[in-house]
Amino acid sequence: MAETKAPVERPLSPHLFIYKPMLTMTMSIVHRVTGAGLYFGTLLMAWWLIAAASGPNSYAGIGSFMSSFFGRIILFGYTWALIHHMLGGIRHLIWDTGHGFGPQERERLAVATLIGSIAWTIIIWVVGYLFMGGPR
Amino acid sequence: MVAGRMSTPLARVLGLGSAKSGTEHFWRQRLTAVANVPLTVAFVVIVVGLLGRNHAAVVQILGSPLVAIIMLLFIASITTHMRIGMQVIIEDYVHDEVTKFFLLMANTFFAVAVALACAFAILMLSFKV
């Protein structure tokens, strides 16, 4: 009867990569990535607390690592990840109440999370350096 | 969580779904998420307040009752939250049953070990002072 048509090349299912990256989508991914980062970052907190409990020498050891350039980069990233995940989490809690899903609202929430996390990270570090003498 | 016509009345009324744990997982994640907000703010304040201080001062502050209690609550809440969160990540991306099984185990081991190590250190600091 009829000849079979050549199959049209189309995605089999709505695949992630056919979408243009949107802010809300990127923020969702960042929320997961920061969460995973914080997960392994708890090792730093454990190291810090164990060092404090172990005595002055151990504490000086982690102090010199944290105040090194590499250590400060890690701590700065950790600060941002912590604040970003917290603000992103608050966004999710707002969504849990059924609010904030409008096209403009969700965009605004995403922008607020991003700006808020960067601003708070900078504020925390400025306070750390100015008033507490910075990580020594 | 669809309890169709094929399920028994008991299964429908329990409404626990295929995971057999209902919304426990969801609820605990939200519960710890809410707790994490004030506790994280307190944690950041504590850490910034300890920057640049010598060991003796850090021991005294971390071991003081209020700070120690806040730190213990923070540790309990975040390690519970992160265990659930990482479980979701593993379940999303790891489809090989054996690998998934071991990763889920490792996830719990990690969370419990971190929680215990941190809590033990805090208690040591508290009772030494």
Side-chain angles (χ1 to χ4, degrees), chain B residues 14-129:
Chain B
L14 289 175
L16 296 179
S18 58
K20 308 294 177 214
S21 56
T23 54
E24 180 65 35
H25 181 121
F26 175 91
W27 172 246
R28 203 174 287 177
Q29 178 131 30
R30 265 43 177 199
L31 185 76
T32 51
V34 171
N36 283 348
V37 176
L39 291 171
T40 299
V41 172
F43 171 72
V44 170
V45 170
I46 289 168
V47 171
V48 171
L50 290 175
L51 290 177
R53 291 183 194 266
N54 65 28
H55 179 252
V58 169
V59 169
Q60 198 179 2
I61 293 168
L62 275 179
S64 65
L66 182 67
V67 174
I69 289 167
I70 290 171
M71 286 297 294
L72 287 172
L73 288 172
F74 176 68
I75 290 158
S77 189
I78 61 157
T79 51
T80 307
H81 187 82
M82 77 180 195
R83 188 180 63 80
I84 301 170
M86 187 55 79
Q87 185 181 333
V88 174
I89 294 179
I90 294 167
E91 287 166 349
D92 276 357
Y93 301 129
V94 182
H95 304 301
D96 178 69
E97 285 300 318
V98 177
T99 315
K100 186 165 80 182
F101 177 77
F102 280 107
L103 283 176
L104 288 175
M105 273 182 101
N107 177 39
T108 302
F109 290 162
F110 180 84
V112 171
V114 167
L116 198 92
C118 291
F120 183 76
I122 293 287
L123 292 175
M124 259 187 86
L125 290 166
S126 298
F127 295 122
K128 236 194 247 175
V129 172

